[in-house]
Amino acid sequence: MANLTLLYAKAALTGFTRRGTALPESTVDVHVTVDPAHLARYNKVCGFGVRDELPITYPHVLGFESQVRLMTGPGFPFPLPGLVHVANRIRQHRPIAVSEPLSLHVALADLRPHERGRQFDVVTTASVDGEEVWVDVSTYLRRSGGTSAAPAAHASPPAHVGPPTPTASWRLPDDLGRRYADVSGDRNPIHLRALAAKAFGFPRAIAHGMWSKARCLAAFEGRLPDAYEVDVRFKAPVLLPGEVDFSSSGTGDGWRFALWSDRPHLEGVITR
């Protein structure tokens, strides 16, 4: 994780001077193999069991350093501090075995207006021997004041009218952000300590959005098909420590799920 530490330091020192109207065409290609010990730690913190296949969210962790490298590289128009991770969509074409080496391709795409600023995608594709097996699209928002731009291009999952009936409740410890940071490499200060989070306007440290997504999918373990897509919108931060309610319900071709406390934190859909 040393490289990520250097990248975060670079972002803190140079990011606030960044201005621009276009995304660079830079890409990153890496080849990775899964460390079973690291995977076991990830599974433990996210609630997955031990299996011979990767959780659908795990390749996101393998590509995270490359994603940060693009967002701290030459020509990137926004400071990394202050970017808001608003959505994530993953499509798995088939299960990925733990033993399979992966080729990851990471690119920036689709800078577009948002009603609160501008948003863009970080697209990570995983292939095995030239076969695309997995695609991850993370959407980030750069807020700006006084804009009347159109809403996001991707439609959100159907919103609940009120809090859904919970099927489980989870108590989240105050060190959850640090534990997930240890396995994901995402050491954004807002997830690590309350004091750092307060500097960015949060009363306490907040959970990682991708931990929230992974924990929800762990609740479906054993029921998911080999090929499916899972699309989530991150609605409001989950404060640590805290307690959240998880709910799920079947749809015609999958499931809908949500995390709530006094407000919605995450809403998502799984499509076969």
Side-chain angles (χ1 to χ4, degrees):
M1 299 302 178
N3 288 341
L4 272 172
T5 301
L6 293 175
L7 289 174
Y8 273 119
K10 177 182 177 182
L13 291 172
T14 66
F16 288 102
T17 64
R18 293 178 175 225
R19 298 290 185 274
T21 58
L23 295 173
E25 296 183 1
S26 307
T27 61
V28 177
D29 290 281
V30 294
H31 301 283
V32 297
T33 56
V34 174
D35 176 357
H38 181 266
L39 176 61
R41 290 166 50 215
Y42 176 88
N43 287 343
K44 183 176 181 180
V45 75
C46 295
F48 292 106
V50 178
R51 302 179 64 197
D52 294 331
E53 299 169 356
L54 301 183
I56 192 173
T57 49
Y58 185 71
H60 178 92
V61 169
L62 299 178
F64 183 71
E65 180 180 330
S66 297
Q67 296 166 18
V68 175
R69 187 171 298 280
L70 284 181
M71 291 190 285
T72 55
F76 186 72
F78 308 121
L80 192 61
L83 288 179
V84 182
H85 193 187
V86 294
N88 176 268
R89 183 175 74 256
I90 302 175
R91 174 173 291 183
Q92 176 177 286
H93 299 299
R94 66 161 175 83
I96 304 172
V98 174
S99 60
E100 290 185 294
L102 297 175
S103 298
L104 300 180
H105 176 78
V106 186
L108 304 170
D110 197 14
L111 180 62
R112 57 199 185 273
H114 184 277
E115 59 191 354
R116 291 179 292 169
R118 286 182 289 174
Q119 64 180 357
F120 65 94
D121 298 328
V122 183
V123 182
T124 305
T125 304
S127 301
V128 176
D129 294 330
E131 172 199 7
E132 181 181 287
V133 295
W134 179 95
V135 182
D136 170 287
V137 181
S138 280
T139 301
Y140 290 88
L141 169 67
R142 174 61 180 175
R143 290 194 180 105
S144 60
T147 179
S148 57
H154 298 302
S156 297
H160 294 289
V161 174
T165 302
T167 54
S169 294
W170 301 327
R171 291 185 179 274
L172 312 182
D174 62 358
D175 68 344
L176 177 61
R178 297 189 291 277
R179 290 169 54 209
Y180 185 77
D182 285 342
V183 297
S184 69
D186 185 351
R187 297 185 179 278
N188 187 325
I190 61 176
H191 302 301
L192 305 181
R193 303 283 179 184
L195 187 61
K198 287 178 180 178
F200 289 88
F202 301 102
R204 304 195 298 276
I206 64 174
H208 295 74
M210 289 304 295
W211 175 88
S212 299
K213 179 172 184 174
R215 182 64 186 89
C216 288
L217 289 168
F220 289 97
E221 203 163 30
R223 295 184 284 161
L224 296 171
D226 287 345
Y228 66 100
E229 181 174 286
V230 55
D231 189 3
V232 302
R233 297 295 183 266
F234 303 114
K235 311 294 269 186
V238 175
L239 298 177
L240 301 174
E243 182 172 347
V244 292
D245 292 329
F246 169 76
S247 68
S248 65
S249 59
T251 63
D253 59 353
W255 294 269
R256 184 170 65 183
F257 60 95
L259 279 184
W260 279 73
S261 57
D262 58 338
R263 54 183 170 167
H265 297 291
L266 175 154
E267 293 180 349
V269 290
I270 297 170
T271 307
R272 298 179 192 276

